[in-house]
Amino acid sequence: MTNQFDRLLADPRVTFAGGVDVGGSGGGGACAPMPLPLSAVRSCFDAVILAHGAEGDASLSIPGAGLTGVLSARAFVLWSNGHPDADAERVGEAVASARSVVVVGAGNVALDCARLLLRPAVDLATTDIARDALAALDAGAASRRVSILARRGAPAAAFTAKELREVTRLPGVAVGVAPPALPPAPTDPGDAATLAGSRGRARVYGILAGLPVVGGENDENDPSTRPSLTFRFLRSPTAFLPSPTAPDRVGAVAVDATSVVGGRAVPDASAPPPPPLPADLVLVSVGFRTPPLAGAPFDEAACVVPSGPGGRVREDAHPPPSLAPLYITGWARRGPSGIIGTNLADADDVASAVAADAAALAGGAPRGGVASLPLPRGAPVTAAGWAAIDDAERVAGAAIGAPRVKLTTWEALMAVARRGG
Ligand code: NAP
């Protein structure tokens, strides 16, 4: 990823202006990015492409969501990446003491979380993971049990095959599926049709069906001290339950057995009620949400910026000629799904639309570009500042045999960026 940035920023036609908060969503504490109205950006350029993604979480409103030890997958990922907005103390403490972990949701983010929780620290040490996170993940990793909870069956799992295969090969980790065993091919005609219509889903199902069946409803009584990863299908969380010894902390997850009706998970009244799953850490990984960006249209129902072909943003009223048209790409255009390749294709589509519109876009009075942006104080982070951060992190990493050691506070990042120029 950083190599892509290097190539792009080396192009003399590209100007990087980091540390600017378009629309002013906040964050950053004392070193907060400079707020800038979208209208100000639109008046300085001939076209503006929004690519702001989905920085909010889809939430799970069930009792106990506020207990200590219940975290969003995003909070966990920000922390492990050393993001300066992470709540490092809270997440680090919860992870270091975690032995029984339930990850709610069966997508690639859930797999990413499980991989970090179970990957041996010696392997993680040679990655760019935040150093504090490494220590917390290592504590207790040798006997950590992770369950991935899926409200629908294996044919509906949202994993991709490559990512799933990687976690099934984690060294020293017992990976399995909770009973009942998955048949080599699903017996339900709807499930069979789903797999027949998607090579990706069929591959994922094949990997899951090849895993051993392990434990029972919960593996509390399993004497094994090996770390484990168990996929639990057709289980939907109904409440996070407090620990009997520390009532402000999570101790278990109450679940319903489910069946799938018309593609949706519904409680299965015919199944015996499953016992709660022990959990001293819960990661809620049920997808993301794009919040509205001030000054841009927003489709509240779909949580996206409404657009037509080529990502041309649909606006209720024609913008005045002083404001450049908007384009939208990525998760804020399509919703929070798709791997990097999906976003590449999306970006290509939007770039082609801008190129096709170029003659008309540049027809008015010349605009001032980056130099004319009304930034209130000082300079934003330049390409040189970005490179200075990159260099500082790499140098620190080289000293300990890691690709980089991340700077994890806004103060440290901004201080190094300012030294860079
Ligand atoms: P996702 O793929 O949409 O998966 C979300 C999961 O949460 C689904 O299993 C969904 O189940 C479940 N869920 C949603 N609401 C729920 C609820 N109320 N109760 C229980 N379960 C619920 O989302 P994601 O994992 O956050 O990933 C987002 C996108 O990023 C995906 O397209 C993913 O492939 C991509 N990604 C890719 C990579 C990679 O390529 N390495 C890494 C990370 C993420 P239902 O299906 O039943 O709704």
Side-chain angles (χ1 to χ4, degrees), residues 23-411:
S25 67
C31 291
M34 294 175 194
L36 192 63
L38 179 58
S39 57
V41 182
R42 294 180 74 177
S43 59
C44 296
F45 295 88
D46 293 326
V48 174
I49 302 175
L50 303 174
H52 54 296
E55 66 172 1
D57 296 310
S59 61
L60 199 56
S61 302
I62 59 175
L67 287 170
T68 300
V70 178
L71 301 173
S72 69
R74 172 192 298 283
F76 178 77
V77 170
L78 286 183
W79 165 78
S80 61
N81 277 317
H83 192 290
D85 284 342
D87 189 346
E89 203 175 317
R90 186 171 69 105
V91 181
E93 189 268 337
V95 171
S97 58
R99 300 296 175 273
S100 301
V101 185
V102 170
V103 185
V104 180
N108 279 338
V109 171
L111 291 182
D112 282 346
C113 294
R115 186 189 301 111
L116 278 178
L117 287 161
L118 292 166
R119 200 166 154 192
V122 289
D123 284 5
L124 282 178
T126 56
T127 70
D128 62 1
I129 189 166
R131 295 292 115 181
D132 290 351
L134 182 62
L137 285 163
D138 191 28
S143 58
R144 194 168 281 147
R145 288 153 189 244
V146 178
S147 288
I148 289 185
L149 209 58
R151 63 179 169 180
R152 296 193 287 159
F159 312 129
T160 48
K162 178 173 162 284
E163 282 63 34
L164 177 60
R165 207 169 284 115
E166 273 171 24
V167 291
T168 63
R169 292 177 180 161
L170 283 169
V173 179
V175 182
V177 181
L182 297 171
T187 45
D188 175 81
D191 287 343
T194 301
L195 299 195
S198 162
R199 286 225 322 256
R201 289 215 162 172
R203 261 193 231 122
V204 165
Y205 184 88
I207 297 168
L208 291 167
L211 294 175
V213 180
V214 292
E217 277 301 345
N218 66 53
D219 39 21
E220 219 177 355
N221 302 321
D222 179 349
S224 156
T225 53
R226 253 176 100 189
S228 65
L229 171 61
T230 307
F231 294 92
R232 299 176 189 276
F233 292 102
L234 297 170
R235 293 286 180 267
S236 185
T238 54
F240 302 123
L241 307 175
S243 154
T245 52
D248 60 329
R249 306 184 72 95
V250 70
V253 180
V255 291
D256 264 347
T258 53
S259 57
V260 178
V261 178
R264 295 172 62 88
V266 294
D268 181 355
S270 68
L277 277 170
D280 45 23
L281 173 66
V282 174
L283 298 179
V284 178
S285 178
V286 297
F288 297 105
R289 204 166 187 279
T290 292
L293 178 74
F298 190 65
D299 177 338
E300 294 279 348
C303 280
V304 294
V305 176
S307 65
R312 296 174 180 89
V313 171
R314 285 205 197 97
E315 302 198 62
D316 288 341
H318 247 319
S322 59
L323 295 185
L326 294 173
Y327 297 77
I328 177 76
T329 186
W331 282 9
R333 176 187 184 187
R334 305 185 321 272
S337 71
I339 55 177
I340 289 174
T342 331
N343 286 318
L344 278 177
D346 206 6
D348 262 357
D349 181 45
V350 174
S352 303
V354 175
D357 298 348
L361 291 173
R367 314 237 194 185
V370 169
S372 62
L373 282 175
L375 289 166
R377 58 195 147 89
V381 179
T382 61
W386 187 88
I389 293 172
D390 190 42
D391 280 350
E393 291 187 342
R394 284 182 199 266
V395 167
I400 60 163
R404 66 177 64 236
V405 172
K406 288 184 178 166
L407 298 169
T408 58
T409 65
W410 287 111
E411 287 74 14

